[in-house]
Amino acid sequence: MGILDRIKTELIYLRGALRTLRATTPIMKNPTRVFPVVVEELAERYGERPALLSDRERFTYRELDARANRYARWALANGVKKGDVICLLMLNRPEYLAIWIGITRIGGIVALLNTNLSGPSLGHCVAIVKARHVIVGADLADAYDVAAANLAEKPTVWVHGASAAGHARIDEAVETLDAGPIPPADRPAITVEDPALFIYTSGTTGLPKAANFNHYRLMGGTHGYRAVMELTEDDRMYDTLPMYHSNGGVLATGATLVAGGAVVIREKFSAREFWDDIVRWDCTCFFYIGELCRYLVNSPTSPSEAKHRIRVICGNGLRPDVWDDFVHRFRIPNIREFYAATEGNVVMFNFDSKPGAVGRIPKWAERRFIVKVARFDVETEEPVRGPDGLCVEAEYGEPGEVLGKIVIDPSKPANRFEGYVDKAATAKKVLHDAFEKGDAWFRTGDLMRRDALGYYYFVDRIGDTFRWKGENVATSEVSEAITVFPGVKEANVYGVSVPGRDGRAGMAAVVVDGHLDLEGLRAHLAKQLADYARPVFLRILPEIEITGTFKQKKVDLRKEGFDPAKIEDPIYFNDPEQQRFVRVDEALYARIGAGQVRL
């Protein structure tokens, strides 16, 4: 990078950091000004301007505030007190936001339930937060009743819309209530320190955990991301991400509202209708998850994709193998890729749209954003400690676990770790005595490498990276090498156990578009990857199972391994003797298991 480019980059980051700090620094100076209060201010300021739009319902700023007041009164009428928990299970719609704004306005905590969960997993999410009430969209009422059948303590169920479940109708109940401002006497004292929401982890490797999302995080997220995206009254945000998650339910919506813009909410993501929606609603920005971008790149060309007015997009997980194709095909001028976790204290932004970087912390910002990359042992799944018992910081370019220093300082709430409802789960995420005795660091669970300019690049999730032939294999890097090959739409890479062999052999489950040239793929991987990183096994799937936030599920795939007796999908073995992928049948499977085949 030349000196002029370096100066330009530093100025971009300096302006971005100053914008964000100016937006978030005042929060602690007025701790009783929480987001439900901000919504009241916005209603006064913007009145009849559109706030939330959808094909199902539309709210102006004044209508959103009034609707929230009805839900606040419903909560008061049903004995909800400060700190009580109400679960919300509903598909994306403007009403969703009105419900949790209203309940948090009178001190309630709203647990945002994943609409893709069912059975024991859904029941678990209700039980761990000890909910008093559950609000369920009518189309999900039957699924909830099945999940709740075995709950020891059953909360009161309220259904939104007509259903055959026989529960009370909350939509009918709120229509009878006053939409005017809530009197001060009915509003408990609420500060930014108080909990507002419970937002659940995706549960890719176990049951979901309920992360504490307090009013500071709500204010910091909404005001901070408005500054990051430079949102104004003229912006229209397209939000197709699930509203039970922080990206779709808090950042995309709240950041746009505090700027005075409008949010277009779609119930579920559709690659086929995505650009038609963008053009129809005249949207100027949207939030993304990396796999959403991959689906769009792999979708057929739409006439609308060349007619949009998108000026900026924001999100995380846009992988290097998709980045350039996405930018060029859809003419995206600005990407604000960021790294953060709902519950974590590590936040970084890629302000200059550098392809592949999840964010950057320049040297001059390291004192405020205290983040380190620690050397990591993938077998023990713990940071490496030196002879003095302290963690060893990774060199530039060396993968390691990203850690964020936990600072207990009232003036620095962003450096805290609020944790989960489950205290044991919270304890597992804290690393003590890491770089000096007595310190504490938040474990992100993500492996990254950092370069000399402070850019961070995602490598893998802890638990996904595995060892084979004495080397660490990062599944994300293998996946990127596979997905750029013609005919491969998606790839999910993981390690599987082989009897009598140390480590785990690489396996890739792929979704293909028509015929896959196995010979060409093998030659391609030989050029792109080291011998130890090339997949030993290949599985052809009709589709890859994902979570509601587009994260690939690996646990079941690992358990199934490469046994053709358990799997109907075609499985291939990368045979080093025949120099080709060969179909795995029961005879070959037995020979591999007996150690009779060279891997």
Side-chain angles (χ1 to χ4, degrees), residues 351-384:
F351 283 115
D352 61 343
S353 301
K354 183 176 178 63
V358 303
R360 179 177 182 241
I361 301 178
K363 282 285 186 185
W364 48 264
E366 288 179 353
R367 289 176 61 86
R368 186 177 183 96
F369 303 96
I370 310 174
V371 176
K372 289 186 181 293
V373 180
R375 283 184 179 170
F376 191 77
D377 186 330
V378 299
E379 292 188 332
T380 63
E381 296 193 352
E382 293 289 339
V384 173

Side-chain angles (χ1 to χ4, degrees), residues 406-446:
I406 299 172
V407 179
I408 309 301
D409 184 339
S411 67
K412 298 178 180 179
N415 292 108
R416 293 204 299 255
F417 169 46
E418 304 298 340
Y420 310 100
V421 171
D422 184 342
K423 301 300 182 185
T426 299
K428 289 180 181 179
K429 295 292 285 186
V430 180
L431 186 67
H432 294 281
D433 301 326
F435 296 97
E436 60 183 31
K437 296 297 181 182
D439 65 7
W441 295 72
F442 169 71
R443 296 190 62 180
T444 65
D446 288 322

Side-chain angles (χ1 to χ4, degrees), residues 319-320 339 356 358 373-374 376 378 381 398-402 443-449 456-467 471-480 491-495 504 507 533 552 554 558:
R319 302 298 299 149
Y339 174 80
V358 303
V373 180
F376 191 77
V378 299
E381 296 193 352
E398 179 185 6
E401 183 178 6
V402 174
R443 296 190 62 180
T444 65
D446 288 322
L447 300 178
M448 295 193 202
R449 61 177 182 270
Y456 285 73
Y457 300 87
F458 181 81
V459 174
D460 227 352
R461 284 290 294 170
I462 289 175
D464 289 349
T465 290
F466 57 90
R467 286 182 71 80
E471 300 284 352
N472 295 341
V473 180
T475 61
S476 61
E477 294 183 350
V478 178
S479 177
E480 288 166 18
N492 190 353
V493 178
Y494 47 96
R504 286 184 285 159
M507 186 165 184
Q552 295 176 335
K554 299 176 184 277
R558 287 195 196 105

